[in-house]
Amino acid sequence: MDIRIRLGRNVRALREAKGWSQEDYADRAGIHRTYVSDIERGRRNPTITVVEKLAEPLGVTAGALLDGD
């Protein structure tokens, strides 16, 4: 599976588990909502710095967002 798709699925699953909308999550991560949407759909190739920003509010490591099949 493409790593961008894996990242997007992990971000979405964790965000939804917390009950956050994309807008809520984007505010917490300091990233624009449309960028979060693109990441969740696997349409962006974020830098490792952005992956770290995505992980922090979810309470996981950047590596955890990249784990999977």
Side-chain angles (χ1 to χ4, degrees):
M1 174 185 309
D2 185 302
I3 195 165
R4 292 172 298 172
I5 300 295
R6 190 175 348 154
L7 171 67
R9 286 183 180 175
N10 289 340
V11 166
R12 183 176 189 166
L14 291 166
R15 174 183 62 77
E16 289 179 344
K18 293 202 176 270
W20 296 339
S21 68
Q22 284 182 345
E23 189 169 355
D24 292 334
Y25 175 54
D27 286 344
R28 293 169 190 266
I31 298 170
H32 197 275
R33 188 207 56 82
T34 57
Y35 193 74
V36 169
S37 175
D38 286 345
I39 288 170
E40 288 187 0
R41 290 181 289 139
R43 297 193 177 183
R44 291 286 185 146
N45 191 19
T47 65
I48 193 66
T49 303
V50 171
V51 174
E52 187 174 55
K53 288 176 85 172
L54 292 168
E56 188 174 325
L58 296 171
V60 299
T61 65
L65 292 180
L66 303 173
D67 285 342
D69 48 49

